[in-house]
């Protein structure tokens, strides 16, 4: 199955790269878990989130997330770019069904819309994000924010997905990422 830890790992180790758009997310907290959270300022609206996985530059297991934020009023759109690598793949513990792979993403560089590096790239500045991958292939990536340690995990799918699916991030294949970045006037 495409959800076994070995399969997920080999998918991320691909020599190619794949672009996705965040098609559905269960909560703002889930977005903040993987992104910058910079859209939570007054007059800012999150317009798009794009994720590229695989081989970026010369690094395999890369993970790049681009947030396109629209600022209301006569202001240009903003693009924040988080770039890093998937460092760990391990079988996820807990209920909610077998075949979850916990990945640890290490963001080495977080650059905001005006090109300012939000982290100095030093060891203390690196940011780590844990995600449980339920399924990953060239068409779709389904992730959940791992439940907090103090959450009651009764082994049900509801405990895994969170109330109303609040822990879920659904990424779908994006064939026109560059065009959409151009349209939003945030192409880099």
């Amino acid at each position: 199955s495409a959800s076994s830890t070995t399969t997920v790992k080999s998918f991320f180790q691909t020599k190619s790269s794949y672009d996705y758009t965040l098609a559905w997310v269960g909560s703002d907290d889930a977005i903040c878990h993987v992104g910058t959270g910079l859209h939570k300022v007054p007059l800012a609206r999150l317009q798009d989130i794009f994720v590229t996985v695989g081989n970026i530059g010369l690094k395999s297991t890369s993970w790049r997330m681009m947030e396109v934020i629209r600022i209301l009023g006569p202001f240009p759109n903003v693009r924040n770019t988080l770039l890093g690598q998937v460092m760990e793949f391990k079988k996820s513990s807990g209920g909610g069904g077998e075949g979850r792979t916990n990945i640890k993403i290490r963001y080495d560089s977080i650059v905001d819309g005006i090109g300012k590096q939000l982290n100095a790239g030093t060891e203390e500045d690196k940011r780590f994000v844990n995600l449980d991958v339920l399924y990953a292939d060239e068409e779709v990536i389904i992730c959940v924010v791992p439940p907090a340690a103090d959450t009651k995990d009764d082994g049900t799918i509801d405990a895994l997905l969170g109330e109303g699916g609040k822990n879920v991030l659904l990424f779908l294949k994006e064939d026109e990422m560059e065009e959409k970045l151009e349209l939003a006037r945030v192409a880099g």
Side-chain angles (χ1 to χ4, degrees):
S1 81
S3 56
S4 81
T5 301
T6 342
T7 317
V8 169
K9 186 173 185 177
S10 57
F11 174 70
F12 277 94
Q13 288 174 332
T14 174
K15 295 278 178 271
S16 333
S17 65
Y18 302 108
D19 298 328
Y20 302 88
T21 186
L22 181 63
W24 191 86
V25 63
S27 66
D28 199 53
D29 287 348
I31 293 174
C32 294
H33 180 76
V34 288
T36 62
L38 292 174
H39 64 281
K40 294 182 87 156
V41 296
L43 304 179
R45 297 283 173 273
L46 192 56
Q47 185 168 314
D48 283 301
I49 287 185
F50 298 108
V51 165
T52 302
V53 302
N55 205 46
I56 301 174
L58 296 170
K59 290 183 173 171
S60 75
T61 69
S62 290
W63 173 286
R64 178 182 64 204
M65 185 171 197
M66 293 186 282
E67 303 171 325
V68 179
I69 298 172
R70 190 165 53 88
I71 313 290
L72 300 179
F75 305 106
N77 292 339
V78 172
R79 178 178 105 191
N80 300 319
T81 304
L82 301 92
L83 180 61
Q85 274 186 296
V86 182
M87 304 305 295
E88 276 173 29
F89 299 86
K90 56 182 196 260
K91 196 161 174 37
S92 199
S93 55
E98 287 307 299
R100 280 154 55 200
T101 302
N102 181 265
I103 63 171
K104 183 189 247 182
I105 302 163
R106 183 192 71 203
Y107 284 132
D108 302 311
S109 142
I110 302 175
V111 177
D112 74 5
I114 54 173
K116 188 168 143 260
Q117 183 92 5
L118 298 183
N119 60 341
T122 62
E123 203 53 51
E124 307 80 66
D125 257 351
K126 293 191 190 316
R127 182 170 149 213
F128 293 92
V129 171
N130 282 301
L131 278 180
D132 282 351
V133 177
L134 304 188
Y135 186 88
D137 70 14
E138 295 161 36
E139 300 293 325
V140 61
I141 299 178
I142 305 169
C143 306
V144 292
V145 176
D150 57 2
T151 313
K152 185 175 144 292
D153 186 353
D154 55 11
T156 63
I157 196 79
D158 287 346
L160 170 68
L161 303 180
E163 194 180 322
K166 69 177 175 134
N167 297 336
V168 179
L169 297 132
L170 171 67
F171 297 98
L172 296 180
K173 181 180 183 187
E174 176 56 75
D175 291 322
E176 298 177 349
M177 185 177 76
E178 289 306 322
E179 293 84 342
K180 288 184 178 175
L181 290 170
E182 289 281 346
L183 261 156
R185 296 192 186 87
V186 291

